[in-house]
Structures are given as C-alpha cells and as structure tokens.
C-alpha cells in the first residue's frame, strides 16, 4: 500500500516544512529508491528532511498515525531498510553539512552525509577519521553499526571516534548523547544500529591523515592460500599504520592490468599505509614478498582518493546480496574453503573481504561500546553485486554456499552492517553478550519499537 488518504498527506505537509513526496508526485521513484536494486518498495510518503524540526515532526507523525517508519542515511543498507512499503521514510540525505573544528580536532556531520561528504570537508584540513571502503556509503548507518574501514587499525572503529550524537527519539524529543549526557543511549548508539532514534548529527574526533600510500596487488589464484596465511600471521600484530585486507577479485579493465588478464580471477591485497609517506614503498615490501605480483597499482594518494577507488563498482540501483561473519582465528580449514569458493567469484563487483578488527580496535574495552566483537581478528564479508535480474539466483547461491562453507570456522554472529534481509535470526548472535543491555536501553528510548526497520532489538523479548 503506497497511498495514504489525501487529508493525512495534507496533515503531514502542514506539520513538516520539508518537501513531502508521495505516489504520483514528480521525483517519487527517485525518492523511494535505495541503493540495493533488489528492493522496490513504495512508501506512502518520503520526507526530505532539511533540519531537526522536520525529523521531529515526521517521527511524531509516524508514531501518532501508526505508519511504519524508515530512517534513511546514505541508503546503502543491504536489506533495504531505508524504505518501507506503505510507510513513512525520513530521508536525511539533505542533512549532509560537515563543520570541521580544526583546533578541537573534531567534525560535526549531518545524519544523512556520506563518507564522501565527510572526507571532502575534513581532507581540506589534512584530517580524517575511520569511514568505510566506499565513499557513497552513509556516515549514519555505517557508524551506528560500528564502522569498519581502511583506518580502523590506526584510528579504531568509526564509533571509537564518535564524541557525541544528537538524536530524535521515538517520543519526539531531541537528546544529546555523549559520555556525559544520556550515556546509556550513547553506549547503545555505538554498535546497536538504528534501533534507538534518528541521529540528526554526529560529532567525530579527527586524526592527522592527509596523503597515504595505498593501492592493490593482484596475485595468481594458486597463491591464495599463501596470501591468506600471510594475513593471518602478519596483520594482527603489524604496525597500526597498515590497513590492509585480502580479497578475491576479477580483474577490471584498468590500465595497470595487462590487457590479456582483464576478466581473469585473482586473489588480491588492498593495502593502506598511513605512516610517513617516505616509508610507503618499503611498507609495501611484505606484500611483494608473499607471492609473485601479476599487477599492482600502489603509490601515494590523498586519503579521499583511496576511499572512493571502488565507488564505480557499486552504482546506485545495482542488485546485491551479502553475508557477514566475525573470525577470531583464520584456520587452515577456513583457508581451504576460501580458496575453493573465492576462486568462483562470479562478477567484477563480487568479492570476499577480510577486514582486520585489531590494532586500535582492540585497545577499546569490550564493554565500552555496544559493538560486540572486540575480540575478533577479522570481519568477513561475502558480497555479490550485479545488474541482470536473470542471474539473481546464481549470485545469491554463490554467496550462500561460500558463507555456509566458512561458517563452521567463524563466530556465530556477524557485523550488523553486513547482514541482509534474511538474517533476522542472527540478531542475538550479532549483539552477543550486549543483547540484554541493548534491549533494556531500547525499552527506555523506544518502548513501542517505532524504529524497527534495522537489525531489530525488540523492547519485549
Ligand atoms: C558498497 C558498500 C560498501 C560498504 N562498505 C562498508 C565498509 O567499508 N565498512 C562498513 O562498516 N560497512 C560497509 N558497508 C555496510 C554499511 O555500513 C551498511 O550498509 C550501512 O547500513 C550503510 O549505511 P547508510 O546510511 O548508507 O544506509 P541506510 O540504508 O540509509 O541506513 C541503514 C540503516 O541504518 C540506520 N540509519 C542510517 N542513518 C541513520 C541515522 N542518521 N539515524 C538513525 N538511523 C540511521 C537505519 O536503521 C537504516 O535502516 C558497505 C555497504 C555498501 C553497500
């Protein structure tokens, strides 16, 4: 049901000063679309919020009318929770301003900004904080789940850099959340996902990261086990300036790939060195020693260039399916399964990544934030993204087969931001020992479960 009665729409338009888009309005199709083309939801209304008052009014309206509420930041969520059939969407993407305080070393960013917005603003000051691998991903969803990215080993997860957040809760109040204010809410926001309210702004600590040394190495598949073993041994205790992770990857048609190897499947290392630039080339040596390099593109570059290097592979509307797990020990048996299934990666925009969860991430106490897997060594993600609906079943099958083959060697839970719409049964495992505390905080701030389009923690267990 995508249509609400005209009087109800008029009421919404009276209460919200921002643009309200409903079925039949120009721009409705663009306004309802999320990043993952597998979802084609038709909301009753999309509120294109521009300020906190719009968010409050929309939250109050959804609660009072009983319309299902979806909160959308960057719209990248794999399960399509940024939209709702017949519901009300608060689209925060116009709230994307970034204010940098270079003296204080912080940035305050609107709840709908992308990491591209964030990096653009902070790089001007030679500063950065941990964001994701792709710059079109939203700061909002990524941070609320934890925030894994290139800089995590040196700067911690995105949540480890979060200083405060401004939140509109289910009762329509605007709350500040920080170590000083509403500390329980602040704890829950750092890993508990979108369960607790609509975050209208985030304040982050920044680090002096401007130009980095980074890039990608391709190796023959026959060296995949060596590469994975190397990562298992090297990365947990490597200097924190390394932000590297292994992958399986079909070679795209890029100038550094020999023409006759375009389309071949490789194992790869995506590497970042955020230490002194002059040490960059030497820092790459372990990746040159691990196996003969078939193709490489590494060098000094601005951090935002690395953060947007993979953007073109994931355009809005591409279909996608994900499975994620945490890994404490990358065993020989697990590596065997990676080699088997990674070699069958079906598309240039399909891959398996093992992101390091160590270095600075391990220096934050396990109970300091709601993120439940501080003890993990890697966050594993298997993702397929493709354009042709005719191959939906094959792509989903590749991801599921790969996931099932590695699951015995992984933790039961995974990173909440790598869950898809069929992962509802894993929620308790994903929040692990923090689940009960999160449920208690949910009862305080959202007893009616208004914010339920997420990796949901129901207030009534
Ligand atoms: C191409 C791609 C690359 C990715 N790379 C990484 C990566 O490197 N590291 C990583 O950690 N994750 C990564 N992810 C996963 C990503 O963190 C999640 O998909 C995340 O949910 C995206 O956030 P979003 O704001 O873009 O998405 P949305 O779909 O807008 O939001 C997802 C959910 O987050 C909540 N939410 C979003 N914004 C707000 C807000 N302001 N207030 C309250 N709730 C909000 C809502 O519950 C919403 O349903 C990637 C995803 C994609 C598609």
């Amino acid at each position: 049901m995508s249509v609400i009665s005209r009087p109800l729409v008029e009421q919404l338009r009276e209460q919200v000063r921002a643009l309200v888009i409903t079925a039949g309005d120009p721009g409705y199709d663009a306004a309802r679309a999320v990043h993952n083309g597998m979802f084609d939801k038709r909301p009753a209304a999309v509120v294109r919020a521009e300020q906190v008052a719009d968010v409050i009014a929309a939250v109050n309206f959804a609660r009072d009318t009983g319309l299902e509420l979806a909160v959308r930041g960057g719209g990248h969520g794999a399960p399509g929770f940024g939209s709702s059939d017949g519901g009300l969407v608060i689209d925060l993407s116009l709230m994307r301003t970034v204010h940098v305080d270079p003296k204080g070393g912080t940035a305050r960013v609107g709840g709908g900004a992308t990491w591209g917005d964030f990096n653009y603003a902070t790089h001007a000051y030679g500063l950065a904080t941990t964001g994701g691998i792709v710059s079109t991903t939203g700061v909002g969803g990524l941070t609320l789940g934890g925030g894994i990215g290139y800089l995590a080993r040196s700067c911690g997860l995105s949540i480890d850099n979060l200083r405060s957040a401004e939140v509109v809760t289910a009762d329509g109040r605007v709350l500040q959340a920080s170590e000083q204010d509403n500390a329980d809410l602040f704890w829950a926001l750092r890993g508990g996902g979108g369960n607790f309210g609509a975050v209208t702004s985030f304040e982050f600590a920044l680090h002096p990261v401007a130009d980095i040394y980074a890039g990608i190495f391709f190796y023959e598949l026959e060296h995949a086990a060596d590469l994975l073993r190397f990562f298992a041994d090297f990365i947990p205790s490597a200097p924190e300036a390394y932000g590297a992770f292994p992958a399986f990857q079909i070679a795209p048609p890029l100038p550094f790939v020999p023409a006759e190897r375009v389309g071949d499947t490789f194992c790869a290392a995506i590497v970042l060195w955020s230490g002194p630039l002059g040490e960059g080339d030497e820092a790459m040596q372990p990746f040159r020693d691990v196996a003969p390099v078939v193709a490489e593109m590494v060098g000094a570059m601005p951090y935002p260039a690395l953060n947007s290097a993979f953007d073109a592979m994931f355009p809005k509307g591409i279909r996608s399916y994900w499975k994620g797990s945490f890994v404490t020990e990358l065993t020989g048996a697990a590596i065997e399964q990676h080699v088997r299934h990674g070699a069958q990666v079906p598309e240039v925009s399909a891959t398996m990544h093992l992101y390091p969860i160590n270095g600075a991430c391990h220096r934050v106490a396990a109970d300091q934030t709601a993120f439940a897997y501080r003890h993990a060594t890697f966050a594993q993600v298997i993702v397929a993204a493709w354009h042709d609906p005719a191959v939906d079943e094959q792509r989903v099958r590749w991801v599921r087969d790969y996931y099932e083959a590695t699951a015995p060697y992984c933790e039961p839970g995974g990173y909440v931001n790598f869950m898809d719409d069929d992962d509802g049964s894993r929620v308790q495992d994903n929040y692990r020992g923090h689940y009960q505390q999160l449920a208690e905080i949910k009862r305080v701030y959202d007893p009616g479960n208004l914010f339920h389009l997420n990796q949901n923690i129901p207030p009534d267990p």
Side-chain angles (χ1 to χ4, degrees):
M1 217 275 291
S2 62
V3 182
I4 49 174
S5 70
R6 185 144 296 280
L8 214 52
V9 174
E10 290 317 318
Q11 211 180 310
L12 177 62
R13 288 198 166 115
E14 271 166 29
Q15 291 172 21
V16 180
R17 192 175 270 213
L19 181 64
V20 174
I21 303 176
T22 62
D25 289 341
Y28 177 69
D29 284 339
R32 70 190 178 84
V34 291
H35 202 82
N36 187 349
M38 298 282 268
F39 297 97
D40 185 29
K41 299 185 186 176
R42 301 186 67 82
V46 178
V47 172
R48 302 216 63 205
E50 291 185 45
Q51 51 181 307
V52 175
D54 296 327
V55 178
I56 296 171
V59 163
N60 286 339
F61 188 84
R63 188 196 56 241
D64 294 346
T65 56
L67 282 176
E68 181 173 65
L69 180 64
V71 177
R72 187 191 307 159
H76 266 213
F81 289 145
S83 198
S84 154
D85 270 322
L88 178 69
V89 176
I90 301 179
D91 172 4
L92 296 167
S93 63
L94 296 177
M95 295 177 66
R96 61 195 316 150
T97 307
V98 186
H99 291 288
V100 180
D101 171 5
K103 221 168 163 193
T106 59
R108 183 164 280 282
V109 52
T114 64
W115 286 103
D117 299 325
F118 188 88
N119 295 334
Y120 176 73
T122 61
H123 186 69
Y125 297 89
L127 299 168
T129 207
T130 305
I133 304 298
V134 168
S135 81
T136 53
T137 306
V139 171
L142 185 137
T143 300
L144 294 169
I148 297 168
Y150 290 113
L151 299 175
R153 295 193 71 254
S154 56
C155 303
L157 301 171
S158 305
I159 49 171
D160 301 336
N161 296 288
L162 191 65
R163 291 292 168 265
S164 67
E166 182 183 72
V167 192
V168 175
T169 46
D171 55 6
R173 284 183 300 157
V174 194
L175 299 181
Q176 302 303 319
S178 68
E179 293 288 3
Q180 291 75 38
D181 300 314
N182 301 302
D184 54 346
L185 177 60
F186 187 54
W187 180 86
L189 291 176
R190 289 176 291 164
N195 276 284
F196 305 95
V199 180
T200 46
S201 70
F202 298 87
E203 184 197 7
F204 289 98
L206 300 173
H207 305 265
V209 177
D211 289 354
I212 42 86
Y213 206 92
I216 185 164
F217 294 95
F218 282 113
Y219 313 90
E220 300 289 3
L221 274 179
E222 67 194 76
H223 300 299
D226 295 336
L227 180 69
L228 293 171
R229 263 193 300 271
F230 162 77
F231 266 95
D233 295 341
F234 173 76
I235 204 73
S237 54
E240 292 182 1
Y242 281 109
F245 59 89
F248 287 93
Q249 182 67 52
I250 293 178
L254 291 173
F256 73 94
V257 178
E260 70 280 9
R261 304 304 308 269
V262 168
D264 288 355
T265 303
F266 294 96
C267 55
I270 293 92
V271 181
L272 159 100
W273 169 258
S274 60
L277 271 191
E279 295 173 11
D281 190 48
E282 199 188 329
M284 297 299 117
Q285 200 52 45
F287 299 91
R288 295 206 170 91
D289 292 343
V290 64
V293 174
V294 180
E296 66 172 77
M297 194 199 65
V298 291
M301 63 184 84
Y303 170 71
L306 176 67
N307 196 220
S308 52
F310 294 106
D311 289 7
M313 282 187 186
F314 300 99
K316 186 166 183 184
I318 198 166
R319 307 169 81 75
S320 69
Y321 185 75
W322 299 59
K323 280 272 175 262
S325 322
F326 284 107
V327 176
T328 46
E329 195 192 347
L330 186 59
T331 62
I335 289 175
E336 228 173 85
Q337 296 305 327
H338 281 292
V339 171
R340 200 166 128 229
H341 291 270
Q344 295 162 32
V345 62
E347 295 258 350
V348 168
S349 46
T351 194
M352 188 290 299
H353 289 171
L354 276 170
Y355 300 119
I357 305 290
N358 43 62
C361 308
H362 281 184
R363 282 192 270 112
V364 176
D367 58 359
Q368 197 173 322
T369 67
F371 184 82
Y373 281 85
R374 288 282 170 190
H375 64 292
T377 307
F378 297 102
Q380 172 180 312
V381 64
I382 305 159
V383 55
W386 66 96
H387 292 280
D388 182 2
V391 299
D392 282 1
E393 206 186 316
Q394 288 104 303
R395 297 298 177 260
V396 170
R397 175 56 44 211
W398 174 73
V399 175
R400 283 194 182 142
D401 286 351
Y402 194 156
Y403 166 73
E404 278 159 23
T406 51
Y409 314 107
C410 296
E411 296 287 301
Y415 177 38
V416 289
N417 279 345
F418 292 158
M419 295 296 122
D420 217 311
D421 65 333
D422 55 359
D423 281 316
S425 63
R426 298 181 70 200
V427 170
Q428 292 212 20
D429 283 333
N430 297 340
Y431 295 118
R432 213 166 145 260
H434 291 158
Y435 185 82
Q436 292 309 332
Q437 195 174 342
L438 284 164
E440 275 168 35
I441 297 169
K442 178 80 172 174
R443 282 193 280 281
V444 173
Y445 292 97
D446 185 17
N449 208 5
L450 182 65
F451 297 97
H452 65 268
L453 284 175
N454 43 48
Q455 298 303 316
N456 193 230
I457 301 163
D460 310 310

